[in-house]
Amino acid sequence: MCPRRPSAHHAIRRLEAGRPSRSGPRSGERYCHSVNRRPTLADVAREVGVSAKTVSRVLNGDGPASARTREQVLAAVAKLGFQPNLMARNIRVGGPDTTIGLIIPDLGNPFFGTVASGIEDTVRDRGLTLLMGSSADDPDRERALADKFLARRISILMIVPSVGADHSYLKAHRAAGLPIVFADRPGVGLAADSVVSTNRAGAHDGVTHLIAHGHRRIGFIGDLPTNLYTRRERLAGYRAALQEAGLPYHRTLVTNAHDQHEAAAATSRLLGLADPPTALFAGNNIVALGIIVELARGKRKDIAVVAFDDVPLAEALEPALTVVAQNPEEIGRTAATAALARLDGDRSRARTITVPTRLIVRGSGERPVPALQKA
Amino acid sequence: MCPRRPSAHHAIRRLEAGRPSRSGPRSGERYCHSVNRRPTLADVAREVGVSAKTVSRVLNGDGPASARTREQVLAAVAKLGFQPNLMARNIRVGGPDTTIGLIIPDLGNPFFGTVASGIEDTVRDRGLTLLMGSSADDPDRERALADKFLARRISILMIVPSVGADHSYLKAHRAAGLPIVFADRPGVGLAADSVVSTNRAGAHDGVTHLIAHGHRRIGFIGDLPTNLYTRRERLAGYRAALQEAGLPYHRTLVTNAHDQHEAAAATSRLLGLADPPTALFAGNNIVALGIIVELARGKRKDIAVVAFDDVPLAEALEPALTVVAQNPEEIGRTAATAALARLDGDRSRARTITVPTRLIVRGSGERPVPALQKA
DNA sequence: CTGAAAGCGCTAACAT
DNA sequence: ATGTTAGCGCTTTCAG
């Protein structure tokens, strides 16, 4: 039997148990490598009969090394199953950890997942790994995550800002050279790069499409909370389109929803108005789902719909859903590219980069005004 | 002006530029904290006039400390913007990093995003953070990611195994006490916990539903590659249901697709057979999308469909889509719970835990056999 | 209650 | 081509 020296992976349990930890083997006992300590550089060096530095050289390929030693070292590494401790390396080198901290509101939302995917694709060959966490759009959770990431000395910090978050606490980090990029929404209180969709123009295009097809009363169902950046921008685009067409802006036609269920309720509420809208504009993908499900439930094919953000089965609906598609993958790629440029020394002024949206006409916006709907 | 000592965040650039780095300030120059070095424990200690250990004690709350020192230390920490270096701490403490490495095939797929979400929710109050990467179902990429994670001394390793991956290289790690859990698919060559859906039973239920509604020729469109665990299990469930009903198994009715586009093509191929199926079973959510879009394109409302895995707008389709719903959030939670139990010392035998699927009947499976479809 | 010294695993800077 | 020494930022150990 091996003496059970508390292994590294039991450190957490040890803390809880409050058991005093012994750092050396008890007399007459030897360590059993397979259960106890992970092998270190020194172990490999001892095995081969060289110095730790030589092993380091072979593994990192900096200094020279004879073919023979190299072989021996590699053999010992394989034999012992040695894997260099990256934390120890980083601490000595003094550089940042090769991770990129990413904070998004919701891991389960495919929009943000796709953003993350774009980031990963872009940074992979730089050897950076994603450290991810979800904020649930809570500024406190966002801050806690950021602090954790910063304590890890991440190379890059990317945030989809929560509503109400203030980012001035990051000033010193940015000044110290940490690349910080905000995605999907701009940061607050910090001059850092951000990458956002053309929300206002996109909403404008979508609403204009509805107007072009004869709609005069167009409902808007946006995100909650209402001061969310994307909601504000998209509402602005909605209003601009109305104004441009000389149409009045009715507060009663504007409402909001935080999830699919609320969006369905909001839909039903708008349609129940004395003078109901003939078309609906969905402020995001979740709202779109709610609207569509509610319309399907009520068999209301007479209501035109345009949604901000594409949804998976848009083309299979009847009518197929017209959308203002975002490009989350591109948002991720762009944000990552900007961050890497900063990492490479780009010291230019903070910029806001926009990623274009695209109106995809599929039919749901083209319904004629149903003056005769019940005929 | 501050002398621009290469800051920590420029380490990467320095490597590339090959510029020799100087470790001390040049004569007559002083470091400018805001631009250069992050403050360390020693800096805080110096500021207050105490030893580093005292600062450490205050911050970690282990040893005793006078109220006065505590205040002074905290003030200095705030003033300098000190954040303890977690890598340095971990290296000294010898414990694992407080991260959980998670490898999934695709960050953009909401199924895996939701699994990740379930994991995060479960481990958050243990202070663990997610280190994530996508394998693209490539065993080599999976292995490379795992090695990177292991080099970081993660506390837990969770993998959605790629097809063809062998996990015996993890044996030593598991023996050393590293909790390893496979999610969605079991691992290969390693006795470790895994958490999977009741794939076979779920598929059986879905197909039985179709049979109960009179279908005798049921097409199966599954994942590619065909040896993917979930595809094998679901196909087995399909065959079992047929056999149970005394129906013959036709190889020609079984096909596969890797993405939505291929699934649409497969659908069209099956429907073009001399003796085409009257119902289709979709082996996963992506395939389901392809099938539905293709049927919509061809206006084929006469074809019944049941899909494995729920899709967002299932209830808004016409007919609404009947599915065998998985519970990805629960898969994540279960996997995380199992891993935490291991971390807490659970040394029992490796188990395979199943998360039940649920047949959600919405209508698409109930279509009568369309003997008169063209009438 | 506080400090000095040693050391975690690794690599930079000089040896040789 | 290789070894030695020192030290990254922190905590442990042992003395006050």
Side-chain angles (χ1 to χ4, degrees):
Chain A
M1 258 311 268
C2 292
R4 287 242 169 156
R5 177 190 176 225
S7 84
H9 286 295
H10 289 157
I12 290 168
R13 182 163 54 126
R14 265 193 283 127
L15 280 175
E16 291 174 352
R19 197 194 318 156
S21 62
R22 320 176 88 267
S23 57
R26 275 165 290 177
S27 58
E29 291 175 347
R30 279 173 317 165
Y31 287 148
C32 172
H33 272 251
S34 69
V35 170
N36 294 316
R37 208 167 43 99
R38 302 272 318 254
T40 79
L41 255 198
D43 294 325
V44 177
R46 202 174 310 122
E47 176 86 14
V48 182
V50 295
S51 81
K53 181 61 200 171
T54 300
V55 178
S56 169
R57 270 195 272 258
V58 170
L59 262 39
N60 294 304
D62 50 52
S66 79
R68 214 178 98 76
T69 10
R70 160 171 279 103
E71 267 180 52
Q72 289 182 305
V73 166
L74 260 29
V77 163
K79 178 186 169 195
L80 298 183
F82 168 79
Q83 279 181 304
N85 185 326
L86 227 96
M87 295 192 289
R89 175 175 216 284
N90 277 333
I91 221 197
R92 178 64 253 235
V93 174
D97 191 12
T98 56
T99 50
I100 162 167
L102 173 62
I103 303 173
I104 62 180
D106 176 14
L107 280 167
N109 187 325
F111 178 85
F112 299 118
T114 308
V115 171
S117 185
I119 296 169
E120 197 202 21
D121 283 346
T122 307
V123 303
R124 186 179 305 117
D125 43 345
R126 290 282 288 251
L128 295 174
T129 312
L130 241 44
L131 201 53
M132 280 179 74
S134 63
S135 63
D137 256 318
D138 173 351
D140 295 332
R141 259 179 71 175
E142 177 186 320
R143 172 68 187 267
L145 272 171
D147 281 338
K148 264 189 142 176
F149 289 176
L150 292 168
R152 266 203 172 72
R153 302 301 188 257
I154 51 178
S155 290
I156 288 171
L157 179 60
M158 301 206 21
I159 301 180
V160 176
S162 305
V163 183
D166 180 275
H167 303 94
S168 45
Y169 70 97
L170 291 169
K171 272 179 183 160
H173 293 276
R174 193 179 124 85
L178 172 69
I180 301 175
V181 178
F182 297 107
D184 189 48
R185 314 162 190 171
V188 174
L190 182 75
D193 298 322
S194 43
V195 178
V196 298
S197 284
T198 52
N199 289 292
R200 196 182 291 226
H204 172 275
D205 294 349
V207 174
T208 297
H209 175 77
L210 288 167
I211 295 172
H213 285 273
H215 294 281
R216 294 293 172 263
R217 291 185 64 79
I218 302 170
F220 178 97
I221 307 183
D223 317 77
L224 264 181
T226 54
N227 58 342
L228 185 67
Y229 168 80
T230 48
R231 138 111 191 179
R232 289 200 320 263
E233 288 295 306
R234 292 168 196 174
L235 183 61
Y238 165 85
R239 296 191 67 159
L242 291 183
Q243 183 165 23
E244 212 172 282
L247 294 175
Y249 169 74
H250 294 296
R251 273 201 67 113
T252 45
L253 293 183
V254 173
T255 179
N256 0 269
H258 183 69
D259 55 37
Q260 181 173 338
H261 188 74
E262 281 182 26
T267 302
S268 144
R269 204 163 53 241
L270 283 181
L271 297 185
L273 289 177
D275 194 2
T278 65
L280 295 175
F281 186 81
N284 66 43
N285 55 350
I286 308 292
V287 166
L289 300 185
I291 292 178
I292 292 162
V293 167
E294 179 61 23
L295 291 181
R297 189 151 36 206
K299 311 251 185 248
R300 295 297 300 265
K301 301 215 179 190
D302 56 312
I303 303 296
V305 179
V306 170
F308 205 104
D309 218 0
D310 208 357
V311 299
L313 284 174
E315 49 186 323
L317 296 171
E318 296 173 19
L321 184 66
T322 292
V323 301
V324 178
Q326 297 191 79
N327 195 340
E329 184 109 24
E330 180 65 17
I331 291 177
R333 279 193 297 258
T334 305
T337 303
L340 290 178
R342 297 288 180 192
L343 202 60
D344 293 338
D346 175 359
R347 290 269 169 196
S348 60
R349 269 189 52 198
R351 296 176 305 158
T352 294
I353 309 173
T354 55
V355 174
T357 51
R358 192 165 56 96
L359 181 72
I360 303 179
V361 176
R362 293 200 182 102
S364 66
E366 295 163 18
R367 201 143 312 287
V369 184
L372 315 170
Q373 70 181 77
K374 296 218 163 163
Chain B
M1 255 315 266
C2 292
R4 285 241 170 155
R5 176 188 178 228
S7 84
H9 286 297
H10 289 157
I12 291 168
R13 183 163 55 127
R14 266 194 283 126
L15 280 175
E16 291 174 354
R19 197 194 317 155
S21 61
R22 321 176 88 264
S23 57
R26 276 165 290 176
S27 57
E29 291 174 348
R30 280 175 316 166
Y31 287 147
C32 173
H33 272 250
S34 69
V35 170
N36 295 314
R37 207 167 45 97
R38 301 275 316 257
T40 77
L41 254 198
D43 294 325
V44 177
R46 203 174 310 122
E47 176 85 12
V48 182
V50 296
S51 79
K53 178 59 201 169
T54 301
V55 178
S56 169
R57 270 195 273 255
V58 170
L59 262 40
N60 295 305
D62 48 56
S66 77
R68 215 177 96 74
T69 351
R70 158 171 281 103
E71 266 180 50
Q72 289 182 306
V73 166
L74 260 29
V77 164
K79 179 186 169 194
L80 299 183
F82 169 79
Q83 280 181 304
N85 185 325
L86 226 94
M87 294 193 289
R89 174 176 216 285
N90 276 333
I91 221 199
R92 178 64 250 235
V93 174
D97 192 10
T98 55
T99 51
I100 160 165
L102 173 62
I103 303 173
I104 61 180
D106 176 13
L107 280 168
N109 187 327
F111 178 85
F112 299 118
T114 308
V115 171
S117 186
I119 296 169
E120 196 202 23
D121 283 346
T122 307
V123 302
R124 184 178 308 117
D125 44 344
R126 289 282 287 249
L128 296 174
T129 312
L130 241 44
L131 201 54
M132 280 180 74
S134 64
S135 63
D137 255 320
D138 172 354
D140 295 332
R141 260 179 69 174
E142 178 185 319
R143 173 67 186 266
L145 271 171
D147 282 338
K148 265 189 140 179
F149 290 175
L150 293 168
R152 262 202 179 74
R153 303 300 189 260
I154 50 178
S155 290
I156 288 170
L157 179 59
M158 302 207 18
I159 301 180
V160 176
S162 305
V163 183
D166 180 276
H167 302 94
S168 44
Y169 69 96
L170 291 170
K171 271 178 183 160
H173 293 276
R174 192 178 126 85
L178 172 69
I180 301 175
V181 177
F182 297 107
D184 189 49
R185 313 163 190 170
V188 173
L190 182 76
D193 298 322
S194 44
V195 178
V196 299
S197 284
T198 52
N199 289 292
R200 195 182 294 227
H204 172 276
D205 293 349
V207 174
T208 297
H209 175 75
L210 288 168
I211 295 171
H213 285 274
H215 294 281
R216 293 293 171 265
R217 290 184 65 77
I218 302 171
F220 179 97
I221 307 184
D223 318 77
L224 264 182
T226 53
N227 58 342
L228 184 67
Y229 168 79
T230 47
R231 138 113 191 177
R232 289 201 319 265
E233 287 297 305
R234 292 168 197 176
L235 183 60
Y238 165 86
R239 296 189 68 158
L242 291 184
Q243 184 165 23
E244 212 172 283
L247 294 176
Y249 168 74
H250 294 297
R251 270 202 70 111
T252 45
L253 293 182
V254 174
T255 179
N256 359 268
H258 183 67
D259 55 37
Q260 183 173 338
H261 187 74
E262 282 182 25
T267 302
S268 143
R269 205 164 51 242
L270 284 180
L271 296 185
L273 290 176
D275 193 2
T278 64
L280 295 175
F281 186 80
N284 66 43
N285 55 350
I286 308 291
V287 166
L289 300 185
I291 292 178
I292 292 162
V293 167
E294 179 62 23
L295 292 181
R297 190 153 36 209
K299 309 252 185 247
R300 295 297 302 265
K301 301 215 177 187
D302 55 310
I303 303 296
V305 179
V306 171
F308 204 104
D309 217 359
D310 208 356
V311 299
L313 283 174
E315 49 187 321
L317 295 169
E318 296 171 21
L321 184 66
T322 292
V323 301
V324 178
Q326 296 190 78
N327 195 340
E329 183 109 24
E330 180 65 17
I331 291 177
R333 278 193 297 259
T334 305
T337 302
L340 290 179
R342 298 288 180 192
L343 201 60
D344 293 338
D346 175 1
R347 292 268 169 197
S348 59
R349 269 189 53 195
R351 296 176 305 157
T352 294
I353 309 173
T354 55
V355 174
T357 52
R358 191 165 56 95
L359 180 71
I360 302 179
V361 176
R362 294 201 183 99
S364 67
E366 297 164 15
R367 202 143 311 286
V369 183
L372 318 169
Q373 71 183 74
K374 294 216 166 166

